[in-house]
């Protein structure tokens, strides 16, 4: 960095005229400042990350000040960045409002991610009114740890997480509770003697019944066994499929038993395609969280989607 000074050793404030700052560079600076990431700012602005980096470096050279500390994940604003942001936020936001967010009156799409099953059954059906109002959505499904890592780098605006995020870099609020139920097809329920037999013998009543699971390490079923039976699950899965909807279909077809979220199999339980093998007074509950990185986007539709999810998802 250079060493030019003004007055009593302080850097001179940018002045209009010959040394006027580039408006595009200021917009890029504000996007990085708000998102906390060069990658996120690039996505918000529709630019490449190298372009964002080059514009910030050019602005830093012109101001003779460092604006951001480059971190392994993201960018932290330097003290001068706070001062600059305080001077330009209002006028740039006003200009963006007049320009209609890019000139066509359309905000950027909202990037929402989460488990495929929960999004499909509890989230997407309720988002139709927002789409009708002009909200655009880009949906990604996957595992919570992977999605949270991508959220930190700016790939998503909001993530529905099955576990509470660690650390202080993300903000979260409880979204909905999932209740898990032990189920099988009616044919297997009859063969094992139903819930009465399970209440009498415990999990031993399921000996010989194939287990259908989401993954080889059967995390959902293991948790149910610990919580309800106070025992360690010892059987290996006969079938694994990384989609709970596929697990439900296999179980309903007679492949064996499994543990599923109640919301996912309400219709099958009502029709008799699936039967409850156990109905404990204290069933396992898992809380889902809606997660957002602070300042992750200046897209006003992110807040619209967030508020809508918080208001509606508990009805799932």
């Amino acid at each position: 960095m250079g060493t030019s000074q003004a007055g009593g050793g302080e850097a001179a404030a940018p002045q209009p005229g010959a040394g006027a700052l580039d408006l595009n560079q200021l917009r890029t600076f504000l996007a990085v400042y708000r998102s906390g990431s060069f990658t996120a700012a690039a996505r918000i602005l529709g630019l490449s990350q190298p372009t964002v980096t080059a514009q910030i470096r050019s602005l830093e050279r012109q101001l003779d000040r460092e604006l951001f500390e480059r971190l392994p994940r993201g960018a932290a604003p330097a003290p001068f960045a706070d001062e600059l942001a305080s001077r330009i936020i209002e006028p740039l936001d006003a200009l963006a409002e007049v320009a209609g967010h890019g000139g066509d009156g359309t905000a950027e799409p909202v990037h929402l991610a989460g488990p495929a099953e929960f999004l499909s059954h509890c989230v997407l059906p309720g988002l139709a009114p927002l789409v009708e109002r002009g909200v655009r959505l880009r949906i990604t499904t996957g595992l919570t740890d992977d999605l949270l890592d991508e959220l930190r780098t700016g790939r998503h605006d909001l993530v529905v997480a099955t576990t509470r995020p660690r650390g202080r870099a993300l903000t979260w609020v409880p979204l909905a509770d999932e209740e898990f139920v032990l189920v099988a097809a009616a044919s297997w329920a009859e063969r094992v003697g139903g819930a009465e037999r399970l209440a009498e013998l415990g999990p031993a009543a399921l000996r010989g019944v194939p287990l259908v699971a989401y993954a080889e390490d059967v995390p959902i079923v293991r948790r149910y066994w610990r919580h309800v039976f106070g025992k360690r699950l010892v059987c290996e899965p006969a079938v694994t499929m990384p989609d709970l909807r596929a697990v439900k279909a296999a179980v309903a077809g007679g492949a064996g038993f499994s543990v599923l979220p109640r919301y996912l199999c309400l219709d099958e339980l009502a029709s008799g395609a699936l039967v409850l093998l156990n109905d404990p007074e204290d069933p396992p509950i898992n809380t889902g969280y809606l997660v957002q990185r602070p300042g992750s986007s200046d897209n006003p539709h992110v807040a619209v989607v967030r508020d809508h999810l918080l208001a509606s998802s508990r009805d799932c």
Side-chain angles (χ1 to χ4, degrees), residues 175-201:
L175 181 63
D177 290 332
E178 296 177 296
E179 177 190 343
F180 290 98
V181 292
L182 179 63
V183 294
S187 57
W188 277 113
E190 184 177 353
R191 289 169 65 178
V192 302
E196 295 80 6
R197 186 68 170 167
L198 196 70
E200 178 185 349
L201 298 180

Side-chain angles (χ1 to χ4, degrees), residues 39-266:
T39 301
R43 180 178 58 75
I44 292 168
L45 297 170
L47 302 174
S48 68
Q49 185 171 335
T51 298
V52 169
T53 301
Q55 289 190 6
I56 294 300
R57 285 176 177 168
S58 177
L59 185 60
E60 287 177 326
R61 285 194 298 269
Q62 188 172 356
L63 293 171
D64 200 16
R65 291 286 190 178
E66 182 183 37
L67 294 173
F68 298 100
E69 177 187 359
R70 279 65 168 177
L71 303 174
R73 285 182 175 174
F80 186 76
D82 293 326
E83 179 185 342
L84 178 60
S86 69
R87 297 204 304 269
I88 68 172
I89 281 179
E90 287 192 14
L92 283 188
D93 283 351
L95 182 60
E97 186 68 26
V98 172
H101 300 286
D104 62 357
T106 303
E108 290 291 318
V110 176
H111 292 257
L112 171 66
E117 302 86 358
F118 186 82
L119 292 183
S120 298
H121 284 75
C122 299
V123 173
L124 294 180
L127 291 178
L130 299 187
V131 176
E132 186 176 357
R133 286 162 48 189
V135 175
R136 295 186 294 158
L137 298 166
R138 299 295 179 264
I139 308 298
T140 301
T141 61
L143 300 176
T144 285
D145 288 345
D146 296 337
L147 296 178
L148 291 179
D149 284 342
E150 293 169 355
L151 178 66
R152 293 182 179 97
T153 64
R155 182 173 176 180
H156 312 299
D157 296 309
L158 298 166
V159 166
V160 177
T162 57
T163 57
R164 189 172 65 183
R166 297 181 296 272
R168 301 180 179 179
L170 303 173
T171 59
W172 51 266
V173 290
L175 181 63
D177 290 332
E178 296 177 296
E179 177 190 343
F180 290 98
V181 292
L182 179 63
V183 294
S187 57
W188 277 113
E190 184 177 353
R191 289 169 65 178
V192 302
E196 295 80 6
R197 186 68 170 167
L198 196 70
E200 178 185 349
L201 298 180
L206 295 174
R207 188 174 292 117
V209 183
L211 168 60
V212 184
Y214 180 89
E216 194 69 33
D217 60 346
V218 293
I220 297 174
V221 187
R222 283 192 291 107
R223 179 180 176 185
Y224 188 98
W225 249 240
R226 289 195 308 268
H227 184 91
V228 175
F229 300 124
K231 296 183 178 181
R232 178 174 172 268
L233 180 72
V234 294
C235 66
E236 299 290 330
V239 181
T240 63
M241 288 170 284
D243 188 315
L244 291 177
R245 294 164 299 185
V247 172
K248 178 185 70 173
V251 174
F257 77 93
S258 192
V259 174
L260 293 168
R262 183 182 286 272
Y263 72 78
L264 192 63
C265 48
L266 287 175

